[in-house]
Amino acid sequence: MLDSSHRGPRHRGPSLTFTVLSGGTIMGVSEKRSTTKMLRVTAAGFAGTALEYYDFFLYGTAAALVFGPLFFPSYSPLAGTLASFATFAVGFLARPLGSVLFGGMGDKVGRRKTLVFSLLMMGTATVLIGVLPTFEQVGWFAPLLLVTLRFVQGIAMGGEWGGAALMLVEHSPPYRRGLYGSTVQMGVPGGLLLSTIAITVSDHISGDAFDTWGWRIPFLLSGILFAISMFIRLGVEETPDFTALQSASAQQSTPVNSLLRNQWREVALAAGVIAPGGILFYLVSTYAVSYGTTVLDISRTTMLNALLAASIVYLISLPVSGHLSDRFSRRAVILAGCVTALFGGFVLFGLMNTGSGWAAFLGITFMLAVVHSALQAPQPAFLAERFGVDVRFSGVALSQALSVSVIGGTAPFMATLFYSWTHSTWLICTWLTLWSVAGAVSTIALSRRPCAIDDAEQRPADTDREPRLGASRQLTGTHE
């Protein structure tokens, strides 16, 4: 039985429809969704996304802790921090370009090949950051190289999230899309967890030399993680949905153009759905570390430990939220996240302002494991269900990239600026509240738009464990 967040008429106008038989055939090609296969796909989605977010968050943590004095020493401490966070935002500004590049590639040549290439780009850029000379050694050439590599990271991230989300959602049974799709979101705290551990261990090993050479260790270690992730990802098959599209030779010649011509409203609304989670996450994972250490004088080790412990709880909470989105609805879970985000900022900074490490841990845990988990876990399935198979990679990737780039990626910079104006966190919290309202409105509006996957989506309550053989899934795209 479909709930209101999944219902909707099919797209009007010319369309391309594929019939997928659950447990049966896809365009005559036998397809078994076995547990073993899903475990392999899940491992590939988690490993690759965790690595890419490890690389991305590692840069954010280093920007908060050391990049200011190392690459922008001629500025005041505040200006140096702002400059450092500005380079952090460069990676986000590059994401839309990456989403167009990799989105078109993913809709034409396949999800799997595209993900392998994006992983290669990210791994290479991160290792190179670990061997960069500093401003003291080569002058302004150092920040120029830093910004360039950050830009490459951003392009790679533009294709990673959307592609990994589709690999999971398109391989999964209809009534488990929320649960399996949440795995790509687990790569986010997984990457945050790994980067925080790497920074903490490096800080412990190098001690006072952390600002000199200790910060380089986590960037160099990404080479090992890259090799492991690439090995896992290369062992995964292409998704059934793209295989059906390819068998029919029905790929779009210009997927992004077709997407923006036929589903631009879905792109705009999806970006609104993603916005509050983007702001919230980077406020917590990046700005809160800087705020705690520079404004509240909480030790760097204490803040990193609080973030590390909260990330573990967050990692566990994501599949729970994904399961709830299958059991009830994507819309209900996301709206619950928007409601708690309305006051979440006030809770976070209220607890942190006590100066207690335990209070900081509780605030960060609430924001990640309760609020952000509800906002993020249902998104892969919710967004994938809104775009036709022939433009789905482009639609999901571009929606996410636009929102995270313009709104989420600038969050640490904007928060630092807001605090410098008011010497208080109330404006930061109000900013998050306003975007939470926008996210709720966008979620309701998008759930009422035509659904590209509006088949007999069955829940465990409706069918014991597996869909009946022959239950069909319609994958409808805007083929011209």
Side-chain angles (χ1 to χ4, degrees), residues 34-47 164-172 180 183 232-233 235-240:
S34 66
T35 301
T36 302
K37 178 180 178 179
M38 282 311 304
L39 286 175
R40 187 184 303 118
V41 173
T42 301
F46 174 79
L166 293 191
M167 285 290 288
L168 289 158
V169 172
E170 291 183 351
H171 271 292
S172 66
Y180 284 117
T183 306
I232 296 174
R233 185 160 281 182
V236 176
E237 300 174 1
E238 182 56 81
T239 72

Side-chain angles (χ1 to χ4, degrees), residues 408-458:
T410 57
F413 180 88
M414 294 299 296
T416 303
L417 195 61
F418 289 156
Y419 187 84
S420 71
W421 291 346
T422 63
H423 298 288
S424 173
T425 58
W426 71 267
L427 186 56
I428 301 172
C429 298
T430 302
W431 181 50
L432 175 59
T433 296
L434 293 175
W435 277 109
S436 299
V437 173
V441 173
S442 298
T443 299
I444 294 171
L446 185 59
S447 67
R448 294 176 177 176
R449 298 294 299 171
C451 193
I453 308 177
D454 56 349
D455 56 3
E457 183 152 352
Q458 302 174 56

Side-chain angles (χ1 to χ4, degrees), residues 23 32 100 175-176 253 280 336 341 377 385 421:
K32 290 181 61 179
V100 171
Y175 64 96
R176 286 288 182 265
S253 58
L280 187 155
E385 289 162 351
W421 291 346

